[in-house]
C-alpha cells in the first residue's frame, strides 16, 4: 500500500486534487486512520509519530537532555494488528488464569485498549521514561514515577515543561476520573490528537466493536460498550478534549 500523509481538505485544494475522489471529504482523518488500519507516514528513530508530533517531540527531548534526562520511548504508534496481539495475549492469560470472559475483558481495559480504540493508533501518543535513571523490571508502573521512584525527577520536569511543547498527560491521577487507570508515562501531542479525538467520537464505535470479531467480543454487552466509550475513551485530561 502506498504511504501517505494525513492530509487536510484545504491542502488537497491547494494541490488541485479533486475532492470528490477522496473518502475523507468531511473529515481530515478517515475511519481507517483513526482505527489504526491505514498506513500513515511516520517519523522517528526507534519510535513512530506523525511529522508534527515528531518535530515537537525532538525539541522536548533536546530540552530534557540539557537537564540530564534521556527520554526513552517505550511505545508510540501501534497499528490495529499490534493492538490485537496485545489484546489476545492478555485475554488468553486472564481467562486461562480462571477469570470469566467479561471479568478478563474488564481487567484488560484497566490499562489496555480494545483494538481499534487506542490513541496509539493515531501517531500522536507515546509512552516514555527516563533512560538515564535505573531501569526497573516493569517500566510502566505508576510507582516508578512517584515518591522515590526512578522516574520521579523526570516526571517533575515533564509536569513543568511538557505542555509548552504540546504534550499532555492523558490518563491523569484526578480522583474522580474513570476509565483507564493513572498512566504517568502516556503523553499525547494535543494539537493533533484533539482534532483526531473529535473525529473519532463521531464514529459509530458500538457497531465497529460488534463487527470486529475479537477474542471475547461476543461477551461485549451494550452496557459495557457504552461505559467503555464514556469512560475509557472520553474521560481523559480535559485539556485534551
Ligand atoms: Zn500508552
Amino acid at each position: 500500500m502506498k504511504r501517505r500523509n494525513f492530509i487536510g481538505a484545504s491542502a488537497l485544494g491547494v494541490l488541485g486534487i479533486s475532492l470528490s475522489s477522496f473518502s475523507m471529504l468531511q473529515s481530515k482523518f478517515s475511519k481507517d486512520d483513526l482505527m489504526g488500519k491505514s498506513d500513515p507516514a511516520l517519523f522517528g528513530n526507534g519510535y513512530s509519530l506523525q511529522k508534527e508530533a515528531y518535530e515537537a517531540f525532538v525539541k522536548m527531548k533536546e530540552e530534557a537532555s540539557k537537564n540530564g534526562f534521556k527520554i526513552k520511548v517505550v511505545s508510540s504508534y501501534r497499528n490495529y494488528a499490534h493492538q490485537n496481539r496485545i489484546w489476545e495475549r492478555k485475554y488468553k492469560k486472564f481467562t486461562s488464569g480462571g477469570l470469566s470472559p467479561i471479568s478478563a475483558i474488564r481487567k484488560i481495559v484497566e490499562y489496555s485498549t480494545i483494538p481499534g480504540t487506542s490513541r496509539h493508533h493515531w501517531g500522536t501518543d507515546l509512552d516514555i521514561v527516563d533512560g538515564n535513571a535505573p531501569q526497573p523490571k516493569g517500566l510502566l508502573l505508576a510507582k516508578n514515577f512517584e515518591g522515590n521512584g526512578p522516574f520521579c525527577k523526570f516526571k517533575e520536569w515533564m509536569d513543568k515543561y511538557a505542555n509548552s511543547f504540546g504534550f499532555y498527560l492523558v490518563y491523569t491521577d484526578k480522583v474522580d476520573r474513570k476509565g483507564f487507570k493513572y498512566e504517568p508515562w502516556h503523553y499525547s501531542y494535543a494539537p493533533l490528537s484533539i482534532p483526531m479525538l473529535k473525529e473519532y467520537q463521531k464514529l459509530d464505535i458500538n457497531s465497529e466493536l460488534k463487527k470486529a470479531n475479537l477474542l471475547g467480543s461476543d461477551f461485549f454487552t451494550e452496557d459495557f460498550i457504552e461505559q467503555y466509550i464514556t469512560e475509557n475513551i472520553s474521560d481523559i485530561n480535559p485539556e485534551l478534549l
Side-chain angles (χ1 to χ4, degrees), residues 75 78 111 118 120 125-127 140 171 183 185-187:
S75 189
R78 290 201 291 262
Y111 287 104
S118 176
H120 283 283
D125 284 41
L126 71 187
D127 301 331
L140 304 184
Y171 310 111
E183 294 192 358
W185 54 83
H186 183 129
Y187 286 84

Side-chain angles (χ1 to χ4, degrees), residues 108-120:
I108 299 172
V109 303
E110 287 181 3
Y111 287 104
S112 296
T113 54
I114 302 171
T117 73
S118 176
R119 298 177 63 94
H120 283 283

Side-chain angles (χ1 to χ4, degrees), residues 4-25 27-28:
R4 61 174 173 74
N5 284 300
F6 290 122
I7 191 166
S10 57
L12 293 174
V14 169
L15 293 169
I17 296 169
S18 161
L19 285 177
S20 57
S21 61
F22 282 80
S23 59
M24 299 182 292
L25 271 179
S27 162
K28 195 176 171 184

Side-chain angles (χ1 to χ4, degrees), residues 196-213:
M196 290 188 88
L197 178 63
K198 285 202 165 63
E199 288 305 315
Y200 191 84
Q201 287 171 323
K202 292 179 192 166
L203 300 178
D204 185 354
I205 303 301
N206 196 333
S207 70
E208 290 300 328
L209 291 183
K210 276 184 188 150
K211 68 185 182 197
N213 219 357

